[in-house]
Every structure is written in C-alpha cells, then in structure tokens.
Amino acid sequence: MSTCETTVIVAEEEPPSKRPKIVPSCAPRRDNEPIITSTCASKSPRHPLCCSTGYPLEIVRASGQYVYPSNGEKYIDARSGTVWHCHPDVVEAGRKQMETLCTNSRFLYDSMVTYAKRLCATFPGKLSCCIFTNSGSEANELAVQIAEAVSGGSKIVALRGASHGHVMTQRRLTAASSDLACPVPQPDVYRGEHRDPGTAGELYAVEVGKIMAEQDTKVAAFIHESVSGQTAYPQGYLEAVYRQVRAAGGLCIADEQQGGFKRTGKHFWAFEAHGVCPDIVTLGKSMSCGHPVGAVITTRDIAEKFAASGVSYFNTFGGNPVSMAIAEAVLSLVEGEGLLAQVDAVGSFLREGLLSLMEQHTCIGDVKGAGLLVGVDFAKDRESKEGDRKLASSVVARLQEDHHILAAASGSVVTFSPPLCISKEDCTSIIEALASILRKLTA
C-alpha cells in the first residue's frame, strides 16, 4: 500500500399546485410563500440560501424507489439518482460501523483499503488509485487540482451548460468567461450547429481543437459528464477530443456522478460506452445511497506525480470508517447478479414509452440519455426546436402535485433519474402521468 497524505489508496497496479419561486434574501415575500433552503424548509423570510425544487415536501422516510413526506402519501422518486433508498444491508452496515468506530481519516483502518481495492477493480486500464472525499463537488475540485499540478497547465476545457458541482472552481468551469474555463459547445445533434449523427462527433471535436489552440495558456484538462439527461455525445466525439487534449499535454477527466454504478444499463461506468479510458474519474451521488461520499480514481503514475508536486491534500472525513462501510455495502448491491440487465430492461421500457409519447405530442422534441438517466426535451415547435422551459417547469410541478412523481427540470429538459431498483410498473405510472399532463397542458 502506498499513501499520499494518508488519503491515496493504491489498489492493484493493473486491476482486474404551486411552484415556489427563488426568492432573493433581500426580497419581500407573501406570508405563505415557501422558501427551500439547502437543508430544510425555512421559516425565515430572509434566509440567504434558497433554491426551488418544486412545491416543498418534508420527506420523513424512504424505501426502495419511494419517498414518504409528512403528509402520509407515497411518491415515486424519479430524480435523486441513488441506487436504493434505505436498503437494509446498507442501513445495517452504517449502524454496525457507528457502534464500532466513527472517527476521521487521520488514522489507519482496513475498511478504507478494502473498499478502495474493490472499487478500483471495477475500472479498466491503469485506473488503480483512489482518493476519498465527502462529495462529488469535492472530487471534481480535487481532480482539477491534480490536473493542474501534473500537467503544468491552467485551463480546463469544459462543455457549456454542464454541471460539475457548486464549489467555486466548478462554478468557474462552466462560466461564459473565467481565468480557469475554456468553454466549448455542447455536441448537440438536436438543436446544435452540427446535426448529422454520422459526422457531428468529428466536427464538434474539431471545434474543441480550434478553441484550445486560441488559448494563451496551456490546457490542463478536459472534464465531461460521461452521460446526462441533457445531451448525448455523437459517435466518436469523446475519442477525438481525448486525442487532442492528450496531444496538448492535458489530462481527461470523466465525471461519473450521474452515469456511474451501472446506471446506463450497458456498462459499470458510462465512459466505457464511448471507447475511451480517462486519466481521472470522479464519483459521488450513487456511491453511497445518500451518505456523503465521493472519490477520485486515477493512475499510479498520476497519483505519484501529484504527490511529488508539493501540493498537499488532506480531507478530514474523506474515507472515514462509516462512509467506507456504507459505500462498500452499496458496491455489493451494485455488483449483485442481474442488476445490469435489470437496469437495461427497465430503462429501455421507460425510454420506449417516452418515445411513444413523442410520436403523439409534437411538444416533445427529443428523448435523450441512456438506461435509467433519461431526459425529455420540450420544444415550442419541431421546426424551430426552440426549447420550451415554461412547459418543462409546468410538467415537473404537475408530476409532483397531481401524480406524486418527483422529477427534475433543467432548461427545457425534464430528467428522470430514479433509484436503480425502480420497476416497470413505476415507469408505466410515469409514462401515463406524463401523457395525462401533456393532454391537459397542450390542449
């Protein structure tokens, strides 16, 4: 075992109906207008942390693919992106570890090493080193630090409109202009500049090369989500961009926050569908069924160069015993026999149902994503393909209020990312609910 500030674990060298508004903290509001904070519903009319996630629900418990608010009703969770709510094996693993040892990462314990080896064994190539964090945002922050230290570059190539977290570095990555970001177009074959699936991948990759060449400083890395409900990569795009970035001395970072742990139904990791192997992979979300855990996976060579660069990294609770116990229990669930085929079958069923709705409703312009990460892109008309943000927002509100289904909207796209244990029956409920809503909203 090799360590870097006690947080780098090296596995095998070559492993086998009301919708709340976002209210500024200084704005007045009506007495009953809801504000959602980052942790709970707030009674304060001036709380500075607020976000809108649909009409507020106070969730008191969850099980499998369902959540139960304080109103006593059952809701289908089609937005959290977890593996399984409150699985008894995961709950027991956390409880047992809490009774035995709950401390920070300044000590050595076997569970960190054991889980790191099992996790790294799921990756291809030389991805064999693991650094634990407390979230996906932290993992992406660290990945950028590693890329800058190892490559000597300072620019990060990132897709416009992508989401890699909410710490300052990630917000700068997707900004229109910053000293860190080198923003490139989304390779969108639906409403982007290049729409022929046969040639779009190469053409969008050429644009990335041109933008990189215009930078006045060296590119450190290219970061991308491996899959999302917002867009789909055309054939050959990632392969071509990886070649250009590596030729320029940069590293390639795959953000598997949403697509990892078999969510696409085809591979353990979503990047595998594109025939590429990243230099760094970042994890979060599904990693621990709601417990705060994240990780950076990289090669031994990159980890050792980062350690030798003089950049010190330590994470007080990253990789703590409780997090490791819970994450390993989740990994056992994901590695269970038949899950990949189940996700593929149920995801295909959901996608086919949504495509059927697209044939019936012209307001659906496109259905995107893979497996159990699917997006429905609403358009004002199919000729202009202008996104219909208002309709997408209304659909999410109606799903929640009228049909007890939780989904997410980003721009004109409604995304469904349910727990991996969701059933075809639940997907039927989603499809039928969406059909009912569209009949009413577009009548």
Side-chain angles (χ1 to χ4, degrees):
M1 182 180 77
S2 171
T3 62
C4 170
E5 293 292 317
T6 76
T7 57
V8 179
I9 304 299
V10 180
E12 302 296 330
E13 175 66 16
E14 303 249 357
S17 314
K18 299 171 186 176
R19 182 168 175 79
K21 301 174 182 178
I22 297 181
V23 183
S25 59
C26 59
R29 71 184 184 96
R30 297 186 299 274
D31 290 341
N32 296 323
E33 187 172 40
I35 287 181
I36 306 304
T37 73
S38 59
T39 54
C40 63
S42 173
K43 295 180 180 179
S44 168
R46 300 178 65 82
H47 199 292
L49 298 176
C50 55
C51 62
S52 176
T53 58
Y55 190 78
L57 290 174
E58 181 191 4
I59 303 297
V60 296
R61 69 183 183 92
S63 178
Q65 63 271 41
Y66 307 116
V67 295
Y68 300 84
S70 55
N71 62 15
E73 303 285 354
K74 179 174 76 173
Y75 287 67
I76 297 173
D77 173 15
R79 65 171 294 160
S80 69
T82 190
V83 172
W84 191 311
H85 285 300
C86 299
H87 190 283
D89 292 350
V90 177
V91 173
E92 176 61 17
R95 184 200 63 79
K96 185 176 180 180
Q97 186 59 56
M98 285 284 287
E99 289 182 345
T100 307
L101 176 65
C102 178
T103 185
N104 57 50
S105 304
R106 289 185 172 90
F107 306 96
L108 296 177
Y109 33 85
D110 288 342
S111 58
M112 183 189 289
V113 180
T114 302
Y115 175 61
K117 285 184 176 181
R118 284 189 61 188
L119 182 61
C120 287
T122 66
F123 285 92
K126 297 183 178 181
L127 292 166
S128 60
C129 296
C130 181
I131 309 174
F132 291 113
T133 66
N134 298 299
S135 69
S137 290
E138 283 190 3
N140 283 331
E141 173 84 14
L142 177 58
V144 169
Q145 290 184 39
I146 293 172
E148 290 178 332
V150 172
S151 71
S154 60
K155 284 283 187 177
I156 307 297
V157 179
L159 297 171
R160 294 192 187 103
S163 175
H164 297 288
H166 294 283
V167 298
M168 186 57 70
T169 296
Q170 276 71 63
R171 295 178 73 85
R172 287 164 60 208
L173 280 181
T174 52
S177 176
S178 77
D179 58 340
L180 177 65
C182 175
V184 297
Q186 285 276 359
D188 185 0
V189 297
Y190 174 59
R191 59 170 64 92
E193 181 179 354
H194 309 296
R195 301 182 183 183
D196 182 348
T199 60
E202 191 63 39
L203 291 174
Y204 276 117
V206 168
E207 288 193 42
V208 174
K210 290 179 179 178
I211 293 172
M212 286 172 53
E214 294 170 354
Q215 304 305 306
D216 54 5
T217 55
K218 181 180 178 181
V219 166
F222 166 56
I223 186 169
H224 66 92
E225 296 175 277
S226 296
V227 67
S228 79
Q230 306 300 311
T231 190
Y233 298 118
Q235 183 178 2
Y237 174 75
L238 286 183
E239 288 182 278
V241 174
Y242 271 40
R243 285 195 301 270
Q244 293 180 96
V245 171
R246 285 169 171 162
L251 303 180
C252 297
I253 304 169
D255 181 339
E256 290 275 337
Q257 317 286 338
Q258 294 192 76
F261 293 95
K262 299 186 178 179
R263 179 158 293 276
T264 64
K266 299 296 184 183
H267 303 276
F268 205 108
W269 305 109
F271 66 76
E272 296 178 275
H274 301 283
V276 298
C277 187
D279 302 298
I280 302 172
V281 181
T282 58
L283 308 177
K285 283 189 173 69
S286 297
M287 194 173 178
S288 57
C289 289
H291 189 79
V293 183
V296 171
I297 312 296
T298 189
T299 67
R300 179 191 291 268
D301 179 60
I302 290 173
E304 290 179 345
K305 287 179 179 177
F306 179 57
S309 70
V311 178
S312 178
Y313 178 79
F314 176 76
N315 193 309
T316 303
F317 289 104
N320 70 79
V322 176
S323 294
M324 296 297 92
I326 291 173
E328 187 163 11
V330 173
L331 183 58
S332 294
L333 277 182
V334 174
E335 290 181 328
E337 185 177 354
L339 180 62
L340 194 66
Q342 175 186 327
V343 172
D344 186 30
V346 178
S348 296
F349 179 83
L350 175 60
R351 183 180 178 83
E352 288 167 7
L354 296 174
L355 287 170
S356 178
L357 288 182
M358 187 171 75
E359 294 177 359
Q360 304 168 39
H361 299 276
T362 57
C363 61
I364 298 179
D366 197 16
V367 175
K368 314 179 182 199
L372 287 174
L373 180 55
V374 184
V376 178
D377 196 337
F378 290 98
K380 293 183 178 179
D381 62 78
R382 289 187 175 176
E383 185 175 347
S384 71
K385 300 184 178 181
E386 180 183 353
D388 196 333
R389 293 168 174 259
K390 183 178 179 180
L391 179 57
S393 179
S394 296
V395 165
V396 169
R398 296 277 67 79
L399 281 170
Q400 179 173 318
E401 188 170 346
D402 299 342
H403 300 275
H404 292 181
I405 296 169
L406 305 182
S410 177
S412 62
V413 180
V414 173
T415 302
F416 299 98
S417 181
L420 299 185
C421 56
I422 195 170
S423 67
K424 287 185 178 180
E425 290 74 20
D426 294 316
C427 290
T428 297
S429 296
I430 293 172
I431 295 164
E432 291 178 348
L434 184 56
S436 174
I437 291 167
L438 292 181
R439 282 195 297 268
K440 294 176 182 177
L441 291 179
T442 61

